[in-house]
Amino acid sequence: MSMMWAGRFSKEIDSRVNDFNSSIKFDARMYRSDITGSVAHAHMLGEQGIIDKSESEKITEGLWGILSDIDSGKLEIDPNAEDIHMFVEQVLTERLGDTGKRLHTSRSRNDQVATDLRHHLKYEEIPVIRTLLCDLTETIIGIAEQHYYTVMPGYTHLQRAQPVTFAHHILAYAQMLLRDLGRLDDCVKRMDEMPLGACALAGTTYPIDRNMTAASLNFGGVCQNSLDAVSDRDFCIELASAFSLIMMHLSRFSEEIVMWCSWEFKFIELDDAYSTGSSIMPQKKNPDVTELIRGKTGRVYGDLMTLLSMMKNLPLAYNKDMQEDKEAIFDACDTLKLCISTFTPMLATMTVLPDNMRRAAAKGFINATDCADYLVKKGLPFRSAYKATGSLVARCIELGTTLEELPIAEYKKYCDLFDDDVYDAISLDTCVMQRKSEGGPAPEAVAVQVERLKAALRALNDGYENKYRK
Ligand code: ARG
């Protein structure tokens, strides 16, 4: 019999069970981490005298050979293997005979898969997503720097509320992404403990040195409880949750872009290369990219839910249910990569239409708060100022005019504190320029925000480069 566990079994596995059980289709992508982990393990076995040093060296060489053969395409990963761990061990044994069979001493696929997955996420998935997120954040900052003076309406309840600038508005997303990056780094910090050496669940009687293996794999430490090491997937859940928040942020941004490029708003125009047409309506230019991102957000939430549900009633320690972790977390990784790498160039190539933004800001009485504040500055209590301004707005609506155009005589009917200087106080530019409070839309406040964002990004990347890059 060809199976790994041939000793105990007298029949070949049913081919349907074999297919059902197999995870090679989705865990093959971890081959680099699997082989790197096995090299570290074999080296430690040799150093500790658990296997002969000469054999450990042969195994190491054999493993590196397998890695380069997979990389070069010389060795194809067998889709009929049960999983990537079995596949690598099988090839090693084919190539080295009995020596290859010594690799799995003092190890189980349970600690192996938990180690591989953490290692793979830490080195091959998260860094890519991290870089994409940094690029996106920098792109947003770059656009913001061109629009310190582009006045647009700020909204609450999707009703025009108070004037802001386009820079101020989109930097809100840069702040969200900065926190998202921080969350990714937090996840990495906690997944940086190595499960290897927990073996099947209860450690081992061999004199292994887990810290030696962890150091060669560049893990920050080792999991302290062997049962916990092989049986939790909280690191996947935490990551999927961080991914879900990223998607939620992208989705909100996407929703705004969908609105902004509609004729109702026309605040922006997407580049032709990032829009699609209609098969029937010749005039259409659709923001499909942003709509798809909005749609795919649900998919990532689904991955998070898959992982949470998968874990909720599993007794310690390993259970096969947990094999489902990889499809969910890899789908989330792939979806994120796809979404961010399309969103960023779409954003970078869109045309901002400042005149339309300003026209929208000029309607809707978004300077009413400033009108009330004008009266407060002249000594009126805010509530009275609020009421007088409310009546003025009602009067403007009645006359079909704006606060800017209402004659001063009308103003005085509602409060004798009004004077000619009210027009300057309620001009859109004044409204924006005077909102200098920290975090506000005044260009000087936005410039401070941009400097801080850049510094925060630098700090995040410095910390990350030093600690987690291979
Ligand atoms: N392919 C398995 C997984 O992804 C590897 C671990 C198998 N362990 C076991 N005891 N059957 O979870």
Side-chain angles (χ1 to χ4, degrees), residues 23 27 83 85 109-110 113 318 320 322-323 325-326:
S23 54
D27 64 22
D83 57 28
H85 327 292
R109 274 187 300 157
N110 297 349
V113 70
Y318 178 84
K320 187 78 171 190
M322 284 150 65
Q323 178 166 286
D325 59 359
K326 286 168 283 298

Side-chain angles (χ1 to χ4, degrees), residues 35 38-39 42-43 51-67 69 75 87-104:
I35 293 171
S38 288
V39 166
H43 175 75
I51 64 174
D52 265 9
K53 261 202 172 158
S54 63
E55 288 200 290
S56 144
E57 278 158 19
K58 268 193 212 143
I59 292 175
T60 304
E61 240 170 75
L63 286 165
W64 287 139
I66 294 175
L67 179 60
D69 288 351
L75 176 63
F87 172 74
V88 171
E89 199 187 330
Q90 260 157 21
V91 176
L92 188 74
T93 305
E94 275 159 28
R95 293 185 178 184
L96 302 184
D98 278 353
T99 301
K101 293 183 188 167
R102 295 196 192 279
L103 170 64
H104 212 54

Side-chain angles (χ1 to χ4, degrees), residues 5 21-24 26-27 30 82-86 108-114 200 233 318-326:
W5 45 82
N21 215 28
S22 167
S23 54
I24 192 90
F26 45 86
D27 64 22
M30 304 196 302
E82 187 184 324
D83 57 28
I84 189 63
H85 327 292
M86 293 290 220
S108 153
R109 274 187 300 157
N110 297 349
D111 58 344
Q112 193 180 352
V113 70
R233 294 293 182 267
Y318 178 84
N319 299 270
K320 187 78 171 190
D321 315 43
M322 284 150 65
Q323 178 166 286
E324 293 280 314
D325 59 359
K326 286 168 283 298

Side-chain angles (χ1 to χ4, degrees), residues 189-207:
K189 251 181 250 160
R190 267 183 294 279
M191 76 169 67
D192 200 26
E193 287 183 344
M194 185 194 73
L196 209 61
C199 305
L201 74 164
T204 180
T205 54
Y206 294 100

Side-chain angles (χ1 to χ4, degrees), residues 72 81-83 203 256 259 281 294 359 373 392 448 468:
S72 70
E82 187 184 324
D83 57 28
E256 296 213 285
M259 289 193 302
M281 297 167 279
R294 223 170 39 186
R359 245 194 306 280
D373 286 342
L392 271 169
V448 171
Y468 298 113

Side-chain angles (χ1 to χ4, degrees), residues 216-277:
S216 33
L217 288 175
N218 207 16
F219 272 104
V222 301
C223 299
Q224 292 298 303
N225 181 301
S226 64
L227 291 162
D228 173 48
V230 290
S231 72
D232 209 348
R233 294 293 182 267
D234 56 353
F235 60 96
C236 288
I237 296 174
E238 199 178 347
L239 192 60
S241 145
F243 286 171
S244 296
L245 288 173
I246 295 171
M247 288 304 295
M248 181 270 287
H249 289 148
L250 281 186
S251 183
R252 289 186 79 180
F253 203 169
S254 293
E255 165 69 7
E256 296 213 285
I257 289 171
V258 169
M259 289 193 302
W260 289 344
C261 61
S262 73
W263 281 107
E264 281 67 17
F265 281 80
K266 263 297 167 248
F267 286 0
I268 58 149
E269 177 91 35
L270 291 178
D271 192 83
D272 282 358
Y274 291 91
S275 317
T276 49

